[in-house]
Amino acid sequence: MTTSKRSYHITTFGCQMNKADSERMAGVLEDMGFEFAADPNQADLILYNTCTIRDNAEQKVYSYLGRQAKRKHEKPDLTLIVAGCVAQQEGEALLRRVPELDLVMGPQHANRLKDLLQQVFDGNQVVATEAVHIMEDITKPRRDSSVSAWVNVIYGCNERCTYCVVPNVRGVEQSRTPEAIRAEIEELGRQGYKEITLLGQNIDAYGRDLPGTTPEGRHLHTFTDLLYFVHDVPGIERIRFATSHPRYFTERLIRACAELPKICKHFHIPFQSGDNEVLKRMARGYTHEKYRRIIETIRTYMPDAAISADAIVGFPGETEAQFENTLKLVEDIGFDILNTAAYSPRPGTPAALWEEQISEEVKSDRLQRLNHLVAIKAAERSQRYLGRIEQVLVEEQNPKDGNQVMGRTDGNRLTFFQGDINELKGQIVNVKITEVRAFSLTGELIPVAQSVARLKVG
Ligand code: SAH
Ligand code: SF4
Ligand code: F3S
């Protein structure tokens, strides 16, 4: 009999949802008595929380997994788990590919980890990928940050963008109730968190699966209502959210963001392509004109708002002229940040079967040209910060310089300045911006009376 604690290590791939799920699963494991091991090669339990959005994300998992499967031959009591989107997509097939696996579990099963592990410890090889109703979480996540926290508001996605695996792997939309969401945020406020990010693959869909309609026949709960419902939680000073879908983005939401002081003036609204024909074949449900109107409206209400987005190049059939429409949109809008990707055909999605696939050479050429423009535009956008005083929420020490701390502006620009993390962590301070780069800023702390007073109580 051994009395020493077993240890675990989680490696997370993919989006913020996966990061949030990993924190919940780490919470479950710690609740079961597992201890965090920084070195995966020392851990008794390894969990890969996986992503399959593009082929390279999926392949990364197999190479990691191969190494741990080998280690299991020397250490038979090693527990090996694949969770997340590859698990959901591959299911049983993963066991055939890697027979050393103990547990394959889809994203909808994240908070069932304890039950599933019990079955593993009873000697079973377990696959949990059936669609389920996601139960309200009773476990406590082990959050990576003590300043900023993720809060899921809606799971799954009911859209059918023709390139995307997410609906296949995350299932149908399931909104949490406003009460459950608020209760989680209140608890975060009590624990000293300053910032929350509300999460959903299509956050504008929030509430459409919840019961109830207004006398006018609208859904009783919308994302805008949710913002009004949670914005005053004590202790929470900043509220962010992602991801917005142009098809459902409303002026009412924009007004709410302008009106509610805690909502950060940063919007992440992927457009995917600047060409109407491509957008149609992606089944996105909007035109580039509509997208431009949304951004204009945001900038009318909040002239300084930061705008970020995602875009795909080389979607099947995309012509040079259609790609240039994407460049044009990027040129005209001037994004603060744009995440770009070459189209990757995904199993089980319509576009993967289309004949007019674009060659890797053309895709990577377009990606390079787009990225070049993105960096130029981001650098231009950064210029507006020069000399300004920005409010920065301090998150961590700068890992590359122990004399500096880092945090984010309201518009989500990463900002560095001289300071002591022990004094500043979790504080919102005024920083004069003295240096700007495309994707980050450097500044000097302004010791105004108010922030000095705050430091002393903090
Ligand atoms: N729900 C979000 C996006 C989720 S996936 C939305 O609707 O915008 C994150 C990003 O990955 C997408 O915005 C898209 O730009 C990219 N992506 C998704 N599927 C892809 C694929 N098959 N190939 C390349 N990029 C893809
Ligand atoms: Fe994928 Fe479209 Fe759903 Fe976003 S909205 S997750 S791109 S299907
Ligand atoms: Fe990847 Fe799944 Fe997120 S496929 S992007 S981890 S929803």
Side-chain angles (χ1 to χ4, degrees):
M1 278 236 347
T2 163
T3 50
S4 74
K5 277 195 164 184
R6 297 196 76 205
S7 64
Y8 76 95
H9 187 92
I10 298 183
T11 304
T12 308
F13 305 87
C15 63
Q16 296 162 328
M17 304 242 156
N18 258 18
K19 289 181 187 142
D21 289 344
S22 286
E23 292 182 349
R24 287 154 69 207
M25 292 190 284
V28 173
L29 291 172
E30 297 206 348
D31 193 48
M32 291 175 74
F34 281 86
E35 240 165 25
F36 174 71
D39 178 1
N41 291 316
Q42 299 299 320
D44 305 304
L45 180 150
I46 299 269
L47 189 155
Y48 292 115
N49 197 10
T50 60
C51 173
T52 181
I53 199 77
R54 287 179 286 275
D55 187 57
N56 55 4
E58 184 178 348
Q59 297 313 321
K60 222 187 279 174
V61 177
Y62 293 123
S63 75
Y64 278 59
L65 204 50
R67 263 171 272 150
Q68 290 300 334
K70 213 178 265 169
R71 186 160 77 96
K72 188 159 176 165
H73 293 275
E74 286 130 44
K75 180 180 162 55
D77 67 342
L78 175 65
T79 305
L80 262 184
I81 306 174
V82 176
C85 297
V86 174
Q88 186 65 38
Q89 181 180 270
E90 298 300 316
E92 300 259 348
L94 260 177
L95 293 187
R96 287 194 291 276
R97 184 164 179 162
V98 188
E100 293 86 351
L101 277 174
D102 295 289
L103 171 58
V104 174
M105 53 186 287
Q108 297 190 346
H109 295 264
N111 56 19
R112 291 188 55 222
L113 179 58
K114 187 176 181 176
D115 289 348
L116 297 170
L117 269 179
Q118 220 54 65
Q119 296 172 35
V120 168
F121 296 145
D122 289 344
N124 303 301
Q125 211 177 20
V126 181
V127 177
T129 51
E130 70 281 10
V132 290
H133 171 74
I134 300 171
M135 301 296 283
E136 250 323 303
D137 227 336
I138 42 160
T139 54
K140 285 224 175 321
R142 175 194 188 268
R143 303 193 190 253
D144 287 343
S145 161
S146 56
V147 176
S148 182
W150 316 112
V151 176
N152 276 308
V153 308
I154 177 169
Y155 304 102
C157 178
N158 287 8
E159 299 301 302
R160 285 277 154 191
C161 304
T162 51
Y163 51 81
C164 183
V165 290
V166 170
N168 302 348
V169 293
R170 290 266 164 183
V172 294
E173 289 166 3
Q174 299 187 46
S175 300
R176 294 175 67 197
T177 65
E179 292 74 21
I181 295 166
R182 185 169 167 116
E184 180 175 355
I185 300 172
E186 283 176 349
E187 180 58 27
L188 289 167
R190 279 192 290 273
Q191 290 169 1
Y193 284 86
K194 295 291 157 57
E195 179 182 89
I196 53 162
T197 303
L198 306 174
L199 292 182
Q201 280 298 354
N202 169 6
I203 208 158
D204 304 278
Y206 176 77
R208 62 184 183 184
D209 59 311
L210 292 174
T213 45
T214 64
E216 303 82 50
R218 282 191 294 112
H219 291 293
L220 193 55
H221 303 283
T222 67
F223 182 59
T224 307
D225 299 319
L226 183 69
L227 287 182
Y228 282 106
F229 186 66
V230 303
H231 86 279
D232 65 343
V233 168
I236 301 299
E237 299 190 38
R238 283 182 168 184
I239 301 175
R240 301 185 185 278
F241 58 88
T243 300
S244 303
H245 196 308
R247 183 182 220 159
Y248 304 103
F249 205 85
T250 63
E251 183 159 354
R252 186 165 166 254
L253 174 61
I254 297 173
R255 275 201 305 272
C257 295
E259 188 182 310
L260 297 172
K262 290 183 186 177
I263 312 274
C264 292
K265 309 306 177 235
H266 167 223
F267 298 86
H268 182 67
I269 319 177
F271 62 88
Q272 312 302 358
S273 167
D275 183 83
N276 287 348
E277 184 52 37
V278 174
L279 285 170
K280 202 167 175 186
R281 288 186 303 115
M282 287 176 162
R284 289 289 288 178
Y286 54 88
T287 58
H288 79 89
E289 290 90 351
K290 175 169 181 192
Y291 187 83
R292 287 167 193 264
R293 276 198 302 278
I294 292 172
I295 306 301
E296 255 168 49
T297 311
I298 291 174
R299 287 180 169 161
T300 307
Y301 283 92
M302 294 160 275
D304 193 47
I307 313 282
S308 62
D310 305 343
I312 298 174
V313 303
F315 185 72
E318 184 189 66
T319 63
E320 171 65 21
Q322 290 171 335
F323 167 66
E324 283 169 13
N325 283 335
T326 293
L327 290 178
K328 177 141 185 18
L329 185 74
V330 172
E331 177 69 48
D332 293 347
I333 298 223
F335 291 94
D336 292 86
I337 290 184
L338 182 69
N339 308 314
T340 59
Y343 169 74
S344 169
R346 305 309 295 132
T349 63
L353 304 173
W354 297 349
E355 274 168 17
E356 331 107 294
Q357 301 291 325
I358 306 291
S359 73
E360 291 306 318
E361 292 70 37
V362 171
K363 282 195 250 183
S364 83
D365 171 66
R366 288 182 187 168
L367 189 60
Q368 251 178 26
R369 284 156 67 200
L370 179 58
N371 286 343
H372 181 71
L373 179 63
V374 166
I376 292 173
K377 301 306 281 188
E380 277 173 31
R381 289 288 289 167
S382 273
Q383 280 300 326
R384 74 194 199 282
Y385 287 110
L386 195 61
R388 255 173 40 178
I389 293 173
E390 280 289 315
Q391 297 215 300
V392 175
L393 170 58
V394 180
E395 291 171 22
E396 282 172 55
Q397 196 169 58
N398 178 355
K400 291 186 189 144
D401 181 347
N403 294 322
Q404 283 193 343
V405 297
M406 60 190 220
R408 284 171 189 277
T409 65
D410 183 275
N412 213 30
R413 269 281 190 271
L414 194 57
T415 306
F416 303 97
F417 61 93
Q418 291 271 332
D420 179 353
I421 191 65
N422 298 317
E423 279 173 28
L424 293 169
K425 190 167 188 159
Q427 307 287 333
I428 294 181
V429 292
N430 288 324
V431 175
K432 179 160 185 182
I433 305 302
T434 53
E435 225 181 280
V436 303
R437 290 166 299 275
F439 302 107
S440 63
L441 311 170
T442 300
E444 287 161 8
L445 180 66
I446 305 215
V448 288
Q450 197 204 0
S451 43
V452 170
R454 270 176 131 160
L455 289 184
K456 288 199 176 126
V457 243

